[in-house]
Amino acid sequence: MIGRTPTHEGVLLKPYPFTAVVGMPDLRLALVLSSISPAVGGVLVRGEKGTAKSTMVRALAGLLPGVDVVDGCRFSCDPASPDPACPDGPHAEGVPAHRRPARLVELPVGAAEDRVVGSLNLEKALSEGVTDYQPGLLAAAHRGLLYVDEVNLLHDHLVDTLLDAAAMGRATVEREGVSVSHAARFVLIGTMNPEEGELRPQLLDRFGLTVEVSSSRDPEQRVEVVRRRLAYEADPDGFAEGYASADAALAAEIEAAQRLLPSVKLPDEALRQIAEVCASFEVDGMRADIVTARTAVAHAAWAGRSEVTTEDIRVAARLALPHRRRRNPFDAPGISEEQLEQALEDAQPPPEGPDDDGPSGGSPGPDDGGPMPDGGPSGSDGAPPPGDNGETPPGNGSSPQKTVGAGDTFRARVFRVKGTGEGERGRRSRAITDTGRTIGVQPPSVRDGRPHLVATIRAAAPHQQARGRSGAGLEVRSADLRFALREGREGNLVLFCVDASGSMGARARMREVKTAVLSLLLDAYQRRDKVGLVTFRGAEAELALPPTISVEAAAARLDGLPTGGRTPLAEGLLEAARVLRVEAIRDPRRRPLLVLVTDGRATSGSDAVARAKAAAGLLTGVTTIVMDCETGRMRLGLAAELAGHLGAEHVPLSEVAAESLATAVRERTGRAA
């Protein structure tokens, strides 16, 4: 999808001017630096909905200089240096060319892989012996911008494809032994709302820069945002005209910085500072150092300097390092300004003369050298949680509620949904997908997935004489096409139903429960599952978190889960059944896995046990794991009995860790294969 012009009541509007966007200086700077130097690696914009992320990205295209392209080339080859491997080439010297504006290509979240990288016509390849390649969005974005809104909802394999193309500057398509490659150099920009789920740390690291945006809390600034938006919708042309000179001036500055970029020097002292900063923040690999260096050079060019300075490195580190510090999906991105200043200072050559107690004439620290707010130990990831050992004491000493923190997570056992599904691609349960190992062939009436070359040839070969084919090659018709049936893995809905009653309220036990559930949440994150959280205590059950792909939200709700009161087991099961019923209508392809965390007691209301057994009948057919939290020498075995009523697998809390049941895990893997 090339560009997208906003509309208002069916009328096409001019794009919102870049310089008309209020606030967000970090996002503005990151986009400009990536435009000056595409080698930076693009920008990931994280922020809540309604913060003008998409508006600013779409406005950026209008600031970029136009590009010269070869006439008739679908891959936007530069006439001064055409791609020698261009599928539309080779292009001779002096080939006719024209100049066009830089493109903004938008990639829809639901785009198929062929739409992204391009597709090959198998029928023509077999029958005519020619490679008929239809370019995809990567070809359209060459020498421009590729924008992915809600990049966190994009399938991982597509994100990998995009990031590989952005890093290598080329896109390669291979289908059944036929390979096509073309240049694909573009600025990759992704936007996302963290509430809808995170990107894996491995994918986060592939983005050059990241920026956190949020709506302003300043009433005056919010008023100005609304005023400008209403003025834009009332008269788009007039509004855009009012900012045309400012946009033109900014575009000229970007073009000047692009011309200056190749001559900017990066001295050894600056490289030493970059290395010191990256080592100080303990980032993995060397990509952080390289991206920081490229960003510092781009910032120096933007500032009109011919040599990188400490200020350039400071700005580059603030944009290039926050998302590379994450060690697990529940860590918040960010860097300590105090630690950054200290690292920059440590990398400075020693001053001549006697030492001072502090830096002399150096760059000011945060808040002009003042103390950091809420300061803790230097280099910490954040302030320690309140309470002793991560526990938060109740606000009222007479209240039976209390909150207990979790311990360190561990590698959890892998629980899978029974049978074979057809759900969203993931890494948990067996499913028929468009990737994975080939287990069969589908007839032409299905026409789903990639064509199967051998099966297609076998289907076409017996009919060649009847079709009058006497020479080389095959005459292939649509009825001959066969498509591969592939088995891979799917992501599931993992619904946690957690008993938070008084029987679970012992500190040691609840800490163990939260640790186990948090470990299972981490496993769900890695397997691209959707998660939900139901809790029950007192006299009722509560949907603490509706099903979402944001396991971070589930972890936060779990961390603040209070305990106390009676055990309304029936209500918990009824609420879990209701949530699964609603979700089956909303997302029918995603099969559920219910994880019931309880000691099996039912003590709330009359006939609590009988009602719990009746409620269990509503969950028949749902793959369920009963995590038994009963401890001590004298055990009633109620959780095991409940598992029998549910037809569920009974797993003691102590056996949730993978290491504790290595033999059982190997047996389970063998059965699932």
Side-chain angles (χ1 to χ4, degrees):
M1 185 174 180
I2 301 178
R4 187 169 74 180
T5 304
T7 62
H8 177 60
E9 297 181 354
V11 179
L12 295 179
L13 305 181
K14 278 192 173 183
Y16 197 88
F18 188 86
T19 54
V21 178
V22 178
M24 296 190 291
D26 286 346
L27 175 55
R28 191 186 309 270
L29 180 59
L31 293 175
V32 167
L33 295 181
S34 290
S35 301
I36 293 171
S37 175
V40 164
V43 183
L44 176 65
V45 188
R46 298 162 41 91
E48 58 195 17
K49 55 186 177 294
T51 50
K53 300 186 298 292
S54 301
T55 298
M56 184 169 279
V57 171
R58 294 188 180 111
L60 178 66
L63 302 180
L64 301 183
V67 293
D68 294 322
V69 297
V70 174
D71 287 350
C73 179
R74 298 173 296 169
F75 301 88
S76 301
C77 276
D78 185 352
S81 179
D83 179 13
C86 176
D88 284 351
H91 302 298
E93 293 184 9
V95 66
H98 65 280
R99 191 170 183 82
R100 64 160 175 79
R103 286 175 178 167
L104 170 68
V105 177
E106 297 191 39
L107 192 154
V109 170
E113 185 176 8
D114 285 352
R115 181 73 182 97
V116 176
V117 299
S119 59
L120 290 168
N121 190 322
L122 184 60
E123 294 179 57
K124 283 192 175 182
L126 290 175
S127 60
E128 302 176 20
V130 297
T131 301
D132 182 21
Y133 173 67
Q134 297 299 320
L137 296 176
L138 294 184
H142 179 44
R143 304 175 67 195
L145 304 173
L146 182 63
Y147 172 44
V148 188
D149 194 12
E150 297 180 324
V151 64
N152 52 323
L153 304 184
L154 201 64
H155 287 303
D156 283 353
H157 75 289
L158 287 182
V159 178
D160 282 328
T161 299
L162 293 177
L163 295 173
D164 285 342
M168 302 299 295
R170 297 199 69 81
T172 301
V173 184
E174 295 186 356
R175 293 289 186 273
E176 308 297 345
V178 181
S179 178
V180 176
S181 177
H182 63 83
R185 294 185 299 275
F186 49 82
V187 177
L188 178 62
I189 302 175
T191 56
M192 59 174 284
N193 183 352
E195 295 177 355
E196 297 172 342
E198 280 283 3
L199 279 171
R200 290 185 290 120
Q202 298 91 329
L203 298 179
L204 275 174
D205 182 60
R206 300 295 298 275
F207 278 94
L209 311 178
T210 186
V211 178
E212 296 277 339
V213 297
S214 60
S215 57
S216 173
R217 299 296 182 252
D218 179 8
E220 292 301 322
Q221 195 171 72
R222 295 174 74 94
V223 166
E224 185 61 24
V225 169
V226 175
R227 181 184 293 119
R228 293 189 185 185
R229 184 66 197 187
L230 294 178
Y232 168 69
E233 293 178 356
D235 182 11
D237 293 340
F239 184 83
E241 184 64 28
Y243 289 90
S245 59
D247 272 9
L250 182 57
E253 292 174 3
I254 292 175
E255 191 168 4
Q258 289 176 334
R259 290 195 299 268
L260 178 61
L261 183 69
S263 62
V264 175
K265 297 179 181 178
L266 182 65
D268 288 344
E269 292 79 6
L271 279 173
R272 190 171 294 107
Q273 281 187 300
I274 292 171
E276 184 75 31
V277 168
C278 293
S280 171
F281 286 105
E282 299 181 352
V283 296
D284 294 329
M286 295 299 299
R287 184 175 286 118
D289 303 62
I290 295 171
V291 171
T292 304
R294 289 172 174 168
T295 307
V297 171
H299 188 265
W302 173 241
R305 290 189 286 268
S306 59
E307 185 172 301
V308 171
T309 66
T310 298
E311 177 59 25
D312 300 319
I313 298 172
R314 179 182 294 107
V315 172
R318 287 178 50 246
L319 297 174
L321 297 186
H323 59 302
R324 293 186 165 86
R325 297 204 62 216
R326 299 185 62 183
R327 289 295 180 268
N328 68 66
F330 307 132
D331 289 341
I335 61 174
S336 164
E337 293 283 350
E338 186 178 53
Q339 186 178 353
L340 173 59
E341 293 300 325
Q342 186 62 50
L344 290 171
E345 182 181 322
D346 291 343
Q348 294 280 8
E352 297 181 2
D355 292 337
D356 296 325
D357 291 337
S360 176
S363 301
D367 295 330
D368 297 328
M372 290 292 293
D374 300 322
S378 177
S380 67
D381 288 337
D388 184 24
N389 296 323
E391 299 176 10
T392 303
N396 187 333
S398 61
S399 171
Q401 300 184 22
K402 54 177 178 278
T403 302
V404 180
D408 295 332
T409 58
F410 49 77
R411 186 168 65 89
R413 291 177 57 183
V414 181
F415 300 105
R416 307 191 192 278
V417 178
K418 300 174 183 177
T420 303
E422 297 181 355
E424 298 293 332
R425 184 181 304 171
R427 295 179 178 148
R428 183 172 297 278
S429 305
R430 293 171 53 183
I432 301 301
T433 63
D434 55 357
T435 61
R437 63 189 184 97
T438 301
I439 60 173
V441 177
Q442 301 182 91
S445 58
V446 177
R447 301 188 72 85
D448 185 26
R450 297 178 182 175
H452 192 286
L453 178 62
V454 175
T456 299
I457 292 176
R458 285 177 177 171
H463 306 290
Q464 296 306 297
Q465 186 175 0
R467 294 172 182 173
R469 189 76 175 186
S470 58
L474 292 174
E475 182 177 339
V476 180
R477 297 179 180 176
S478 297
D480 300 326
L481 290 177
R482 299 294 185 270
F483 296 86
L485 180 65
R486 301 176 185 271
E487 182 181 271
R489 295 288 179 183
E490 67 178 359
N492 298 110
L493 166 62
V494 182
L495 181 63
F496 293 91
C497 187
V498 180
D499 181 354
S501 64
S503 64
M504 303 282 291
R507 286 189 176 185
R509 186 191 305 184
M510 200 60 200
R511 181 183 298 277
E512 191 177 359
V513 167
K514 287 191 175 183
T515 301
V517 175
L518 196 62
S519 301
L520 290 171
L521 277 172
L522 181 59
D523 180 70
Y525 170 86
Q526 295 167 340
R527 298 184 186 280
R528 311 305 289 167
D529 292 319
K530 206 172 183 179
V531 297
L533 178 62
V534 170
T535 63
F536 55 96
R537 57 180 294 275
E540 59 184 16
E542 175 191 6
L543 178 59
L545 181 70
T548 174
I549 64 171
S550 176
V551 295
E552 294 81 2
R557 300 292 172 88
L558 178 70
D559 187 61
L561 179 65
T563 60
R566 292 183 175 273
T567 310
L569 178 59
E571 283 70 17
L573 296 176
L574 288 172
E575 179 64 12
R578 185 195 69 80
V579 172
L580 294 179
R581 184 171 63 253
V582 171
E583 196 63 19
I585 299 172
R586 180 179 300 156
D587 192 359
R589 298 181 64 236
R590 196 180 288 269
R591 297 189 296 158
L593 173 66
L594 176 62
V595 179
L596 178 59
V597 185
T598 182
D599 56 10
R601 289 179 172 85
T603 61
S604 178
S606 59
D607 300 325
V609 176
R611 288 189 299 107
K613 291 180 179 179
L618 299 176
L619 294 167
T620 303
V622 176
T623 301
T624 304
I625 308 297
V626 175
M627 190 192 303
D628 188 352
C629 302
E630 190 174 30
T631 58
R633 295 183 178 180
M634 299 297 295
R635 303 189 182 187
L636 302 178
L638 298 177
E641 182 180 342
L642 177 61
H645 286 294
L646 290 167
E649 181 177 357
H650 173 254
V651 180
L653 182 62
S654 59
E655 297 179 2
V656 174
E659 291 78 1
S660 65
L661 281 180
T663 302
V665 169
R666 283 194 294 269
E667 292 176 355
R668 177 184 295 278
T669 304
R671 291 197 301 270

